[in-house]
Amino acid sequence: MTLTLLDESFTVFSLSETQSAALEKCWHFLWKPSGAVDILHSVTLEMKQAAAFSLLDASIRKEMLLFLDNTSFLFLLYDYEVLAEDPLFLEYLQKVGSQAFA
């Protein structure tokens, strides 16, 4: 499965399966005890540091750090291509984002 990151403006940062797996390993703090990943997460210094020293390719790491520097929170989604086709899902994300950071 591929992981897609969205910022508060719904700018998409997509990762391949290999990149998703590498990011999951370095962002272990996103995982909840149930095994579910947070859908919404504030961008933290820990997140940036972990990405900087991750196993991601250097060019992807550079792009990701720039992406993280320009946003205060992220949506982390699997199968975004499928979900993006549903306008109700995007409405839901907007509602969650506005409530969380109002």
Side-chain angles (χ1 to χ4, degrees):
M1 290 199 310
T2 59
L3 182 64
T4 300
L5 311 177
L6 289 153
D7 66 11
E8 62 261 18
S9 302
F10 298 101
T11 303
V12 174
F13 190 92
S14 294
L15 298 162
S16 69
E17 268 190 62
T18 304
Q19 293 164 344
S20 296
L23 190 62
E24 287 171 2
K25 286 180 183 174
C26 74
W27 282 2
H28 58 87
F29 48 85
L30 292 179
W31 290 91
K32 297 179 179 181
S34 67
V37 70
D38 285 332
I39 190 171
L40 179 65
H41 201 283
S42 296
V43 175
T44 62
L45 180 59
E46 181 185 17
M47 183 183 280
K48 291 177 187 180
Q49 289 172 335
F53 295 103
S54 69
L55 298 175
L56 292 170
D57 180 68
S59 62
I60 295 294
R61 253 193 334 259
K62 185 178 177 181
E63 285 180 47
M64 175 170 284
L65 290 171
L66 181 62
F67 181 79
L68 294 174
D69 281 341
N70 290 310
T71 189
S72 56
F73 70 91
L74 295 173
F75 294 100
L76 296 113
L77 305 168
Y78 288 96
D79 298 325
Y80 174 72
E81 298 78 21
V82 174
L83 296 170
E85 295 175 8
D86 183 353
L88 294 177
F89 183 73
L90 292 178
E91 277 182 39
Y92 167 74
L93 290 182
Q94 288 173 334
K95 183 177 178 183
V96 167
S98 65
Q99 288 175 351
F101 296 97

